[in-house]
Amino acid sequence: MSLEIWQGDITSLKVDAIVNAANRELRGGGGVDGAIHRAAGPKLDPACQALGGCETGEAKITPGFDLPAKYVIHTVGPIYSGSHSDPLLLAACYRNSLRVAQENGLHSVAFSAISTGVYGYPLGAASKIAFTEVRKWLRDHKDYDLRVIMVAYDARTYALYQKLLG
């Protein structure tokens, strides 16, 4: 079990699964979602459509197709509104993604910063939730060998992740 940070493009990582900050329709959008859809190639969209969408806080899995990652776990983060449900839904994204990884026998998972792009979740608050949930999951599943990589696309996010990793 390990929790690591890495700076760069999540689509370049050779891991069992990368976690996509998806929209509810599981259609390639902007940001990391669009980048993952482009890098995975044309087979990802039909595979996503076969899943019938995804509710906020839930997670679903598809093959990675042309990605170095074997799978993509799609999770839909909340659009930030400042409501009391925002942190609960964001936390559920991390928990459910890790559950899906375990259910599928995966042992290395890379997370993007869910909801911090166009969905407007403040990076500091979202990152604290992410690290808290991942650490809690790893603590509660000590018998499961899982490597979790928190991927920072830019230097600002990486610096924040370094601080949170301790």
Side-chain angles (χ1 to χ4, degrees):
M1 276 193 308
S2 67
L3 174 58
E4 307 165 23
I5 58 174
W6 184 78
Q7 184 179 346
D9 179 357
I10 195 169
T11 67
S12 69
L13 284 175
K14 187 172 181 167
V15 291
D16 290 341
I18 59 174
V19 179
N20 181 19
N23 55 52
R24 290 178 65 183
E25 295 79 31
L26 300 180
R27 295 296 255 214
V32 71
D33 186 26
I36 288 171
H37 274 260
R38 286 187 298 278
K43 293 180 183 174
L44 182 59
D45 190 55
C48 285
Q49 294 321 294
L51 297 174
C54 187
E55 293 301 314
T56 304
E58 292 301 312
K60 296 188 177 183
I61 191 168
T62 63
F65 299 106
D66 295 340
L67 288 162
K70 295 176 195 162
Y71 296 93
V72 178
I73 297 173
H74 308 268
T75 190
V76 181
I79 297 171
Y80 186 73
S81 67
S83 78
H84 73 283
S85 64
D86 290 347
L88 302 174
L89 290 168
L90 185 58
C93 290
Y94 288 91
R95 279 194 313 276
N96 287 322
S97 295
L98 292 166
R99 175 187 50 78
V100 166
Q102 183 182 28
E103 287 172 356
N104 286 275
L106 308 181
H107 295 284
S108 56
V109 178
F111 280 94
S112 58
I114 299 165
S115 282
T116 61
V118 295
Y119 281 15
Y121 213 111
L123 179 62
S127 299
K128 285 178 188 167
I129 291 166
F131 276 78
T132 298
E133 286 303 315
V134 168
R135 281 189 171 116
K136 183 179 185 314
W137 195 94
L138 291 171
R139 191 173 54 247
D140 292 346
H141 298 83
K142 286 182 180 161
D143 58 331
Y144 191 76
D145 181 31
L146 183 65
R147 175 180 172 222
V148 178
I149 304 162
M150 306 299 279
V151 178
Y153 185 72
D154 58 26
R156 175 177 164 242
T157 305
Y158 187 75
L160 176 60
Y161 282 6
Q162 283 182 306
K163 199 179 291 186
L164 290 168
L165 189 60

